[in-house]
Amino acid sequence: MPDKKASNHIRLTSHPDSDTQVLPIRWGDPDPLRRGPVIATLTEPAHRNAVGTHSGSYAIYRAIAVAAGQLTQDHRADLTNTAPAAQVGPHKSWGDPQRIVSMDPWGAVAPQVFQSYRQQGMDIRPSIAITRAHINMPELRDAITAGRLKPDGKILCANGDVTVVKAAIEPVWYLPGIAKRFGLTEAALRRGLFEQTGGMFPELITRSDLDVFLPPIGGQTLYFFGEMDTIPNPDIPLAVRVHDECNGSDVFGSDICTCRPYLTHGIEVCIQTAQEGGAGVIAYSRKEGRALGEVTKFLVYNARKRQEGGDSAATYFHRTECVAGVQDMRFQELMPDSLHWLGITRIHRFVSMSDMKHDAIVNSGIEILERVPIPEELIPADAKVEMEAKKAAGYFTNGKVASEAELQEVKGRALDA
């Protein structure tokens, strides 16, 4: 027999007695108190004003911990001393309901900004955390040895340690804005999310008054190099690498693709730019295997290697489409949101050859002055097939630099936006 609190929760989310919210969210209002906090915690169901819950894909582990009796259902996080270690914003983009739709711009400072609501007993939690750290990768030490990087004792140490600020971001979707990004009606978006997750979130259909959804998917981690205060300044050099997760390469060093080499090259460019008085940003998104997942990716690996004639550029994407139904499921329309959260309006060095990423950023109103390709000598031998396949498919434009006419067009779009 479910307890009273759980019963109330089910009735609220699936078949509400009322569409009245305690604190409705006015997405895009530049005043955070008028905008209102995102309340997706489960300790007091009547306060909830969003579909889903915190922790993204890790929310399931929380559910198991509660079911197993290892975590109390009404646990409230003690957020003492958890405030951001570095400040981001607020920026003008935070008050634009169309500019940022896939994350809560106030998510890092929610406990502080909405302290008055917390004092009233509302369980408000951050969806962004910002801390300071060091990173160290063998490739950076190799770059020091080769003379491409020079330790300065502040950003880069002689042992390869790099001083960074990093931010972890959970996805928080404003459904009307998400629908507009993809050219859908909100009703079609809600129904698609409901049906294609096996009815996991019935309130997507039953609670049309709830505009915000915390999907159980991976989020994004941002790494900052240099002085963060310069990132929004369009006149100070900024290097950016937008990187989609590849666990096999990024973590375990598989040489079948260029993912880790491009990631480390991006970090190298960010360090160089920071040492020149600018800043660098690595935006790392959890989109394993072109957002198809690691199981699908490994199945495709097998199919490519076992086909008659062996692996080839001509059939590279075809085998993916046979298994997954599409070549790539990474929709980059949401990717620029974190860049707008940082107040970025111009990227001087974009470390990517992906036209999909480039176009999504430029179409969102951010200028890109230069595209930095991966050096030929950093491409592993077994990854040549991938590079040739991408080139043949028109996946990238190698080293493209924006012309003056293109920059003027970007500026015009930004002003219109």
Side-chain angles (χ1 to χ4, degrees), residues 174-214:
Y174 174 56
L175 293 172
I178 296 283
K180 187 171 182 179
R181 286 277 179 95
F182 288 101
L184 300 170
T185 64
E186 186 182 343
L189 173 65
R190 285 174 175 268
R191 181 158 294 280
L193 291 171
F194 170 71
E195 292 180 347
Q196 297 306 314
T197 58
M200 186 183 296
F201 296 98
E203 55 268 55
L204 286 170
I205 303 298
T206 64
R207 293 297 305 269
S208 59
D209 62 305
L210 299 179
D211 288 336
V212 174
F213 173 43
L214 277 65

Side-chain angles (χ1 to χ4, degrees), residues 76-400:
R76 292 194 178 216
D78 180 352
L79 299 175
T80 304
N81 293 329
T82 62
Q87 183 175 343
V88 173
H91 296 292
K92 184 179 179 181
S93 55
W94 293 22
D96 187 336
Q98 302 303 324
R99 189 71 73 190
I100 299 176
V101 300
S102 64
M103 58 181 288
D104 179 6
W106 300 98
V109 292
Q112 293 77 38
V113 170
F114 302 115
Q115 178 62 21
S116 61
Y117 291 130
R118 284 173 55 82
Q119 291 172 346
Q120 297 173 40
M122 295 187 179
D123 191 0
I124 298 167
R125 303 189 186 184
S127 58
I128 301 173
I130 305 174
T131 190
R132 297 183 184 274
H134 289 84
I135 62 172
N136 194 315
M137 304 175 77
E139 291 88 344
L140 300 180
R141 298 196 293 272
D142 293 342
I144 293 174
T145 301
R148 297 194 306 273
L149 288 178
K150 299 185 184 303
D152 55 45
K154 181 181 179 182
I155 296 171
L156 176 64
C157 296
N159 67 351
D161 278 355
V162 185
T163 302
V164 298
V165 172
K166 59 183 181 180
I169 302 173
E170 291 178 1
V172 177
W173 287 6
Y174 174 56
L175 293 172
I178 296 283
K180 187 171 182 179
R181 286 277 179 95
F182 288 101
L184 300 170
T185 64
E186 186 182 343
L189 173 65
R190 285 174 175 268
R191 181 158 294 280
L193 291 171
F194 170 71
E195 292 180 347
Q196 297 306 314
T197 58
M200 186 183 296
F201 296 98
E203 55 268 55
L204 286 170
I205 303 298
T206 64
R207 293 297 305 269
S208 59
D209 62 305
L210 299 179
D211 288 336
V212 174
F213 173 43
L214 277 65
I217 60 174
Q220 191 176 56
T221 308
L222 305 182
Y223 290 83
F224 309 114
F225 303 78
E227 297 297 329
M228 289 185 61
D229 291 347
T230 71
I231 290 175
N233 191 329
D235 298 323
I236 297 179
L238 175 66
V240 173
R241 164 71 183 165
V242 175
H243 189 91
D244 291 332
E245 178 183 32
C246 178
N247 186 59
S249 180
D250 297 343
V251 178
F252 294 101
S254 169
D255 62 356
I256 199 171
C257 65
T258 58
C259 294
R260 183 180 172 102
Y262 223 141
L263 175 60
T264 57
H265 175 56
I267 293 173
E268 189 174 324
V269 174
C270 285
I271 293 171
Q272 292 168 343
T273 306
Q275 289 178 329
E276 294 165 0
V281 175
I282 299 290
Y284 192 92
S285 300
R286 299 310 192 280
K287 297 178 182 177
E288 180 67 55
R290 301 195 203 102
L292 300 170
E294 204 165 35
V295 169
T296 295
K297 183 165 72 171
F298 288 4
L299 293 175
V300 172
Y301 282 170
N302 287 343
R304 282 170 46 196
K305 293 173 182 177
R306 292 170 178 167
Q307 64 190 349
E308 187 177 348
D311 200 7
S312 70
T315 58
Y316 180 88
F317 286 112
H318 174 67
R319 294 309 303 152
T320 303
E321 192 166 356
C322 286
V323 176
V326 293
Q327 295 181 2
D328 197 325
M329 211 144 49
R330 289 175 298 175
F331 299 109
Q332 300 293 357
E333 284 84 352
L334 306 181
M335 173 266 294
D337 285 20
S338 62
L339 305 182
H340 288 292
W341 175 63
L342 297 171
I344 293 174
T345 57
R346 175 182 291 167
I347 296 171
H348 297 77
R349 309 183 73 192
F350 183 55
V351 191
S352 173
M353 294 187 293
S354 167
D355 286 348
M356 187 186 300
K357 295 175 183 176
H358 169 275
D359 294 349
I361 292 172
V362 170
N363 289 338
S364 78
I366 297 175
E367 297 180 50
I368 292 179
L369 301 188
E370 178 187 3
R371 296 173 68 175
V372 181
I374 186 170
E376 188 71 25
E377 62 270 20
L378 294 183
I379 301 175
D382 284 352
K384 299 291 185 182
V385 169
E386 177 195 49
M387 296 301 288
E388 291 302 316
K390 289 182 175 180
K391 187 183 299 183
Y395 195 82
F396 60 78
T397 304
N398 196 352
K400 177 182 176 182

